[in-house]
Amino acid sequence: PRMAIEPVLGDYFEHWPQVAEGRRQVAMLLGSNLGNLDEHGAVKLLQRVHSNLRPGDLVLLGLDLVKDPALLHAAYNDSTGVTAAFNLNLWARASREAGADFDLSQWFHSAFYNAPLQRIEMHLVSRRAQRVTVAGESFEFAEGASVHTENSYKYTVAGFQALAREAGFSPAACWTDRANRFALH
């Protein structure tokens, strides 16, 4: 009840908000902050966060853990089509904001778990041979051509702790849910 919390909005790479001297800060990174980055990008982000912290500051990090590929497949290929709509929205926005002429009905969402890289890969796949114009430039897509749109990396607790050490952190507590699907570090 006596703790004063002052939220600060900033960009991890371009602008790190300054916290008054003598004040403690807690940086919070959830899920996709690291999950969308490859190992190099994740270390770079963690190093950036680390370089802006002072002794006594904390980081709270939420991560999606490695789990049964069938469970991941079901989550990223949900029966209600929410993830597919999210992925196809990339083409809708390109059409709206970059003058593209994507016909969304000629593309489908595909997501699969790439076990060696411990990541979900999301793709948009062309249903037929087609030409699309984006910002005045034409692009040819063959039937079945896939555009890789997103990665969502999954971690093990030990693997993340090694990554955190590489970035200069000393991992402390880690909590997982009962099914070991998610972790807070």
Side-chain angles (χ1 to χ4, degrees):
R2 295 172 297 166
M3 181 186 299
I5 297 174
E6 298 174 31
V8 181
L9 179 65
D11 182 291
Y12 299 123
F13 293 104
E14 299 299 323
H15 170 76
W16 188 271
Q18 296 303 307
V19 175
E21 196 62 40
R23 305 283 313 260
R24 205 169 168 200
Q25 63 181 324
V26 177
M28 186 168 66
L29 294 91
L30 300 174
S32 62
N33 293 116
L34 285 179
N36 293 143
L37 302 173
D38 64 11
E39 185 175 335
H40 173 76
V43 169
K44 183 179 171 186
L45 173 58
L46 289 171
Q47 287 171 332
R48 173 81 171 132
V49 171
H50 186 269
S51 72
N52 283 284
L53 298 178
R54 298 180 296 235
D57 290 345
L58 297 173
V59 175
L60 178 63
L61 235 141
L63 293 173
D64 199 1
L65 296 176
V66 171
K67 55 186 70 72
D68 180 355
L71 188 63
L72 289 167
H73 180 82
Y76 286 85
N77 295 284
D78 57 285
S79 61
T80 59
V82 171
T83 308
F86 172 82
N87 201 12
L88 283 162
N89 187 52
L90 180 62
W91 285 170
R93 286 194 64 193
S95 295
R96 221 176 26 252
E97 299 171 23
D101 59 0
F102 285 100
D103 178 351
L104 299 186
S105 70
Q106 296 306 312
W107 294 85
F108 68 90
H109 162 79
S110 173
F112 58 89
Y113 185 60
N114 181 330
L117 297 177
Q118 293 182 275
R119 71 182 186 198
I120 284 285
E121 293 185 10
M122 290 192 354
H123 295 253
L124 289 172
V125 182
S126 180
R127 293 182 187 277
R128 62 173 173 81
Q130 58 183 305
R131 173 181 288 144
V132 177
T133 304
V134 181
E137 190 170 340
S138 285
F139 298 89
E140 297 282 337
F141 295 95
E143 181 179 349
S146 174
V147 178
H148 189 159
T149 57
E150 182 178 337
N151 292 319
S152 183
Y153 285 86
K154 310 305 171 192
Y155 290 89
T156 63
V157 170
F160 172 72
Q161 289 176 338
L163 201 72
R165 283 187 196 89
E166 185 179 339
F169 284 101
S170 299
C174 174
W175 301 273
T176 65
D177 62 298
R178 286 189 179 115
N180 287 313
R181 293 179 179 170
F182 306 97
L184 284 175
H185 293 263

